Amino acid sequence: MRILYLHQHFSTPEGATGTRSHAMARALAARGHAVTMACGQYAGAVTGLAGGFRRGRREGPVDGFRVVEWAIPCGNAMPLRRRAGAFLRYAAQAGRLALAEEWDLVIASSTPSSVALPALAAWRLRGIPFLYEIRDPWPELPRAMGIGSPPLWWALDRLADAACRNATAVIALSDGMAETARAHGARVIAVLPNGCDLDLFGPGIAPWRPPGLPPDGMLAVYAGAQGPANGLGLLLDAAALLQAARAPLTLVLVGEGAETPRLRARAETLGLRNLRFLAPLPKRRLAALLAGADIGLQCLAPVPEFAELTAPNKLMDYLAAGLPVVANLGGAAARLLAGGRHGPVGIAVAPADPAALAEALGALARDPARRRAMGRAARQLAERRWDRRLLAARFCELAEAAAPPRPRLALA
């Protein structure tokens, strides 16, 4: 099949952001499909292409598939109006590509949900079937956080209705996201969660710690976006409590976002000597940092909808790295941390309780045997349930079922 894969925020593992679409595109290409990945320029992403843009576009082969990249910068640190403009510019360029070439299937991976626009255009004007992948449910999450306005949420609701009702199938990253797809009229829904890259992250990776960190002290690492949705002020409050208790633990925040300047200023005001900020790291460098860490940190703002409507990449990275996890989430994440037959893989605390978060971190810092047991259970859970290679095979099966062979005109 000829597959057009639309993901505005695509990155290879050389970048500092999620690599799910890279893994899925590689798996499709390995099964003999001709895949074109269409993307923009996401902050922290590395597409694998080199050289300049010609008329705002460049393309070339990357890891067995074709990548088309447009010079459309986008990132979490940008104001909402500029990001919205980038979303619409990408949708326009992707729409032209969807209609300019022959495709058997379009895969539209959100966020942003505007990625559904070119898929809908190809379906309506050319009869090309499409899969719609929900990685973050819009407008459910923006509405829950009060981001945007009722007219914008109404428009996003109608777009979600159109995408879910007309897609051959909807792929959701969690059961909660599947429920939102069902509410928008999806007929066929498959839950295919984020997976663990067991080759990139794992116990065999050589550990690394950046200069300036205690060489023998314990590290708790948060690696991800630093925006309003992440609620990282809670980590600063917990760090202050740990510092007052003289806990031998340093918190490392890796990433950037709209909240980064405010967080840095507040950390300085609080005089936090046990907290460090690092710029976003390429995935391979992050894997080395996690190999040298003791605890993985998962944090989100105390929004009730987050309990079932999120599927953080970083949580999968921690499990693959064999780290015990401390999270301020209920719902799906808390159930995951409860573990299975090999025991719990972490500790879940209340969403807005810095004292409970500090206590959980301090308890793990004081108990190396418990940390090791949770870390072993985390890696075992990653291998048994969240292996990305197994999830990619299922993704390929869904794509192949979505586009039965179509007759082609014979050339004279």
Side-chain angles (χ1 to χ4, degrees):
M1 290 193 300
R2 295 197 61 189
I3 300 174
L4 176 61
Y5 199 140
L6 305 174
H7 184 209
Q8 186 167 355
H9 303 337
F10 166 77
S11 179
T12 70
E14 303 307 315
T17 187
T19 58
R20 176 185 172 97
S21 60
H22 174 267
M24 302 307 169
R26 282 191 67 183
L28 287 165
R31 290 167 75 119
H33 302 297
V35 180
T36 294
M37 176 68 66
C39 63
Q41 293 180 296
Y42 189 60
V46 174
T47 64
L49 297 180
F53 289 83
R54 184 177 181 183
R55 296 182 180 177
R57 168 176 164 162
R58 63 182 178 182
E59 66 177 84
V62 174
D63 293 338
F65 54 93
R66 172 192 179 204
V67 174
V68 175
E69 178 185 0
W70 292 290
I72 304 175
C74 187
N76 291 329
M78 293 170 60
L80 181 60
R81 185 179 296 274
R82 286 186 60 200
R83 290 177 66 198
F87 297 159
L88 294 177
R89 288 171 59 205
Y90 171 84
Q93 294 287 8
R96 294 187 185 98
L97 179 60
L99 299 175
E101 300 185 26
E102 290 292 327
W103 309 105
D104 298 297
L105 177 69
V106 175
I107 300 173
S109 184
S110 74
T111 53
S113 55
S114 50
V115 75
L117 292 170
L120 286 164
W123 168 77
R124 186 171 295 278
L125 299 177
R126 300 281 297 278
I128 301 170
F130 72 96
L131 291 178
Y132 183 51
E133 181 177 57
I134 303 176
R135 298 160 69 112
D136 286 308
W138 284 21
E140 286 78 10
L141 289 186
R143 183 160 47 213
M145 295 181 63
I147 296 175
S149 63
L152 175 62
W153 301 332
W154 179 89
L156 292 175
D157 264 324
R158 303 291 75 76
L159 179 56
D161 290 344
C164 290
R165 289 172 183 170
N166 295 301
T168 301
V170 174
I171 297 174
L173 269 64
S174 71
D175 291 331
M177 294 185 202
E179 287 302 314
T180 68
R182 191 169 289 109
H184 286 295
R187 296 165 296 163
V188 179
I189 306 170
V191 176
L192 198 65
N194 272 321
C196 297
D197 190 328
L198 299 178
D199 296 324
L200 183 59
F201 296 91
I205 304 300
W208 167 78
R209 290 190 175 190
L213 290 176
D216 300 320
M218 284 177 288
L219 297 184
V221 175
Y222 169 89
Q226 298 179 2
N230 305 104
L232 297 183
L234 183 74
L235 297 187
L236 272 63
D237 293 337
L241 294 172
L242 289 165
Q243 182 168 279
R246 298 185 179 179
L249 186 67
T250 299
L251 277 61
V252 180
L253 275 57
V254 183
E256 65 182 5
E259 291 291 292
T260 302
R262 188 188 67 82
L263 291 168
R264 285 179 176 269
R266 183 161 177 254
E268 185 174 350
T269 299
L270 292 173
L272 297 178
R273 300 180 301 278
N274 62 344
L275 187 139
R276 301 285 190 278
F277 290 91
L278 292 181
L281 294 173
K283 283 288 187 177
R284 299 187 195 281
R285 200 60 164 164
L286 176 62
L289 176 62
L290 294 185
D294 301 281
I295 301 169
L297 279 169
Q298 171 64 46
C299 188
L300 284 172
V303 178
E305 288 79 359
F306 283 174
E308 301 294 345
L309 297 185
T310 57
N313 281 312
K314 62 183 75 66
L315 186 53
M316 295 293 108
D317 294 345
Y318 301 152
L319 296 181
L323 286 178
V325 181
V326 174
N328 72 326
L329 289 174
R335 293 192 296 272
L336 187 154
L337 295 185
R341 62 182 180 182
H342 297 291
V345 302
I347 302 171
V349 302
D353 190 340
L357 182 62
E359 173 55 34
L361 288 167
L364 284 181
R366 295 187 297 269
D367 194 340
R370 188 183 182 197
R371 289 200 311 275
R372 287 193 296 268
M374 284 186 170
R376 285 193 301 269
R379 178 69 185 191
Q380 290 166 339
L381 184 63
E383 293 172 346
R384 189 179 73 252
R385 185 176 176 187
W386 306 105
D387 187 338
R388 179 174 278 173
R389 292 167 295 192
L390 301 177
L391 298 172
R394 176 61 179 146
F395 187 93
C396 291
E397 292 169 358
L398 292 168
E400 290 161 353
R406 297 197 298 169
R408 296 184 181 276
L409 295 176
L411 296 177

